[in-house]
Amino acid sequence: MGNRLPPLEFLGNQFFNSETGESVRLKGVAYYPRPNAGTLNVNGLDFFHEDYRELWERDIAWMKKLGINAVRIYAVDTSKDHDGFMCAMQEAGIYVLVGLSATCDGCSITMDPAPDCYSSSLKVRGMQVINHFSKYENVLGFDATNEVHLNSNVSDTGPCQRKFLSDMKTFISDCDAMPRKIPVGLSFADRDRTLIIDYYNCEEQRGDTGFPDWIGLNIYLDCNPDHLSANESKAFPVLLSDFENYSLPVLLTEFGCNGPQFPTIDGFEGQRNWRAAKWLHEGMYQEAFVGTFAFEFSTEAIWANRTGGYYPFQVYSDGDHGIGYYQPELCDHIDVPCEYVMKPQFDLLKEQYAATPNSGAFQRATFIPKSTARTVCPPGIEPVSNFVWPSDDEAGPYCWDQSVDPCGTKPGDDNGSVEAPTGTPSSGSPPTETSPTDPSPTGRPPSGSPTTGTSPSGNPSSGTTPSSTLPSDGGSADSSDGSRAMLAYASLAITMGLIQCSL
């Protein structure tokens, strides 16, 4: 029982509060609370149900301290009960972006050319996730896939993604029992940007539904800590020009270029200043982008270890994107509970997010989109209608009545009971689902075997607010296309966008 978050709706390229009519700025973080050790130190797990309540309740308290209003989660298992997690997020004032795919056989868009890259089982899974989560008012949207084109050509797998989108949107539209029509989108790595944004917003034929309701981009731009405004960067003005007349809402579903040129603060190397977290929510940028998700809430020890980092993650490593980390060194969320500790950049992100308002830039009643036009379909890509799709023979699960609010909230309720920490926190009837098997995580880090043995021990940070200031000579690296960061993660950027199968 707690604070009610009115569902969001979109008009043109903006999201609006469905009750007040004010536009909403989504200031979020990517959340995958992987422990440092143990059997849960794997990809694609669902940590967002009752089995892990102690974990996510503590983390939500830290999220309130961070001041965010959105999270992106990559892994869900619809055989689990998510009421507790989703209602706790609602009490904390946080919207949730939920993924649809999975890491198992037949549960995601594959690298095969169309139509083989889209299976009937993926269609069923997508409908199951939508059925399961549509009852929660704080679901921001559904993310159909993540970074498929990092390792496949648009011409090969693009039709599969468009067909999956079309099937999911048709299912939502046809399900009269669904409380509302939640938008479905796609997230992409920042490569072939022009091709991707043109292809996924074009109309292949009259009545085409194979375009997203929103589009997401994972960007790692502008690694120069000396830049004080977006205009000093080469990368951000180009990004703005690519989307300033785009007709879909655009989310930056991951962002936050890191590098050793960022300063050392309180013994932690490479502490990002997160100035872009402010830039992207003001001026012309707020007209082009509706939200940002900083990557990521907690350091994943295995990726830091593979790229030269080790507990307590004070030495810079390319695989460490956490604004905080878990202690102790061998915590596993089972026998050894994990406690969250802020890095100095936690407060830097908090300060930048707090520097601009969360709502009110536009009013739905008077908002006129800059553009409502579809783009021109790029040549050389077969239309979806040219293929025979096995998914057309799959009806999938029927939708069911979810009119009862599982969070028991109503307009005017007080804020919930999840308090922001002052220090380190203490430790209808749905269809039956057969959980997919044989998970095959591919991993976010560079290829190779993980570091073996025990990481060097050290004293963890106390999690206090950093008092150091950023140096004026913090470095000069600039990336107009995110190439430095994106190349570092070329083979590690998929699995975090994939979803749980039973292990």
Side-chain angles (χ1 to χ4, degrees):
M1 303 288 290
N3 181 45
R4 180 172 181 268
L5 281 179
L8 299 181
E9 56 190 12
F10 65 94
L11 173 65
N13 69 340
Q14 295 291 322
F15 279 119
F16 293 87
N17 182 309
S18 60
E19 294 180 358
T20 68
E22 290 186 319
S23 61
V24 175
R25 305 300 307 163
L26 295 162
K27 301 175 184 179
V29 66
Y31 181 48
Y32 186 63
R34 182 177 187 157
N36 297 337
T39 58
L40 303 182
N41 181 20
V42 295
N43 293 313
L45 279 176
D46 181 347
F47 290 104
F48 316 115
H49 53 82
E50 289 303 306
D51 291 355
Y52 304 106
R53 173 178 282 273
E54 184 178 4
L55 163 65
W56 48 254
E57 277 190 335
R58 288 197 304 253
D59 285 350
I60 290 173
W62 282 107
M63 292 176 192
K64 290 186 69 174
K65 183 178 179 69
L66 183 61
I68 61 171
N69 64 358
V71 297
R72 181 185 181 191
I73 60 174
Y74 300 87
V76 294
D77 178 351
T78 58
S79 68
K80 304 294 185 180
D81 180 359
H82 296 88
D83 285 0
F85 174 78
M86 293 300 296
C87 296
M89 281 289 182
Q90 179 158 275
E91 290 176 357
I94 296 174
Y95 290 97
V96 182
L97 182 62
V98 181
L100 297 181
S101 303
T103 59
C104 45
D105 185 27
C107 302
S108 62
I109 301 295
T110 69
M111 302 299 105
D112 302 307
D116 297 334
C117 43
Y118 175 42
S119 65
S120 297
S121 58
L122 174 56
K123 178 181 179 180
V124 172
R125 181 172 178 84
M127 290 188 288
Q128 287 172 332
V129 174
I130 291 170
N131 256 334
H132 185 80
F133 279 88
S134 63
K135 60 188 173 184
Y136 304 117
E137 292 192 320
N138 60 325
V139 171
L140 156 66
F142 294 112
D143 192 353
T145 58
N146 183 62
E147 297 194 337
V148 168
H149 296 317
L150 189 64
N151 292 308
S152 71
N153 296 323
V154 176
S155 58
D156 288 335
T157 58
C160 290
Q161 294 200 89
R162 288 186 66 113
K163 176 59 175 173
F164 183 33
L165 272 171
S166 179
D167 283 348
M168 295 304 97
K169 291 173 64 176
T170 299
F171 172 66
I172 291 172
S173 177
D174 290 348
C175 183
D176 293 334
M178 200 165 291
R180 63 189 176 98
K181 310 306 181 185
I182 301 175
V184 185
L186 293 168
S187 297
F188 301 97
D190 191 13
R191 57 177 299 182
D192 297 327
R193 185 189 298 169
T194 300
L195 174 62
I196 284 173
I197 64 180
D198 284 351
Y199 175 65
Y200 285 101
N201 195 22
C202 78
E203 189 174 42
E204 291 186 335
Q205 60 186 15
R206 186 179 297 275
D208 180 16
T209 58
F211 49 82
D213 296 319
W214 56 268
I215 195 167
L217 204 65
N218 298 344
I219 64 165
Y220 296 91
L221 304 177
D222 190 50
C223 298
N224 190 330
D226 295 336
H227 288 162
L228 300 178
S229 72
N231 290 335
E232 293 183 49
S233 164
K234 296 177 182 177
F236 280 104
V238 173
L239 181 72
L240 176 62
S241 68
D242 286 340
F243 287 103
E244 61 183 343
N245 292 310
Y246 204 56
S247 61
L248 298 177
V250 181
L251 295 168
L252 299 180
T253 38
E254 291 177 12
F255 84 108
C257 183
N258 67 346
Q261 67 273 17
F262 285 98
T264 298
I265 304 175
D266 294 347
F268 286 84
E269 298 177 353
Q271 294 302 286
R272 292 170 285 182
N273 56 40
W274 291 105
R275 292 193 182 113
K278 178 175 180 290
W279 302 342
L280 291 163
H281 292 279
E282 60 186 6
M284 296 181 67
Y285 288 87
Q286 71 179 339
E287 298 180 19
F289 307 103
V290 296
T292 55
F293 293 84
F295 191 78
E296 62 182 324
F297 178 75
S298 55
T299 294
E300 296 177 66
I302 189 171
W303 304 151
N305 292 342
R306 287 185 178 184
T307 53
Y310 52 87
Y311 182 88
F313 312 113
Q314 292 179 307
V315 174
Y316 171 80
S317 65
D318 285 343
D320 182 359
H321 274 82
I323 61 171
Y325 65 96
Y326 291 120
Q327 66 174 11
E329 179 179 359
L330 299 180
C331 72
D332 61 7
H333 292 329
I334 302 176
D335 298 320
V336 183
C338 296
E339 292 187 353
Y340 187 76
V341 181
M342 297 185 299
K343 293 182 183 179
Q345 61 178 295
F346 180 103
D347 277 324
L348 297 176
L349 176 60
K350 173 185 175 181
E351 291 167 9
Q352 296 298 330
Y353 266 159
T356 57
N358 288 344
S359 63
F362 310 102
Q363 295 291 327
R364 181 184 175 107
T366 57
F367 178 68
I368 301 176
K370 278 190 174 182
S371 174
T372 58
R374 298 286 169 203
T375 53
V376 176
C377 291
I381 305 176
E382 287 286 322
V384 170
S385 58
N386 283 12
F387 299 95
V388 176
W389 297 99
S391 65
D392 287 341
D393 296 326
E394 177 59 69
Y398 293 103
C399 65
W400 65 89
D401 185 4
Q402 301 197 67
S403 58
V404 177
D405 180 3
C407 301
T409 55
K410 58 184 181 297
D413 278 346
D414 294 330
N415 287 335
S417 58
V418 180
E419 298 296 331
T422 56
T424 302
S426 61
S427 317
S429 300
T432 301
E433 176 184 359
T434 302
S435 298
T437 57
D438 298 330
S440 54
T442 55
R444 179 170 286 278
S447 59
S449 301
T451 302
T452 57
T454 303
S455 300
S457 60
N459 295 322
S461 163
S462 62
T464 55
T465 302
S467 57
S468 304
T469 57
L470 299 181
S472 59
D473 57 348
S476 58
D478 194 336
S479 173
S480 61
D481 61 358
S483 59
R484 183 189 139 0
M486 290 310 298
L487 287 174
Y489 302 101
S491 62
L492 58 121
I494 294 181
T495 297
M496 287 300 295
L498 299 177
I499 301 179
Q500 151 112 10
C501 302
S502 62
L503 297 177

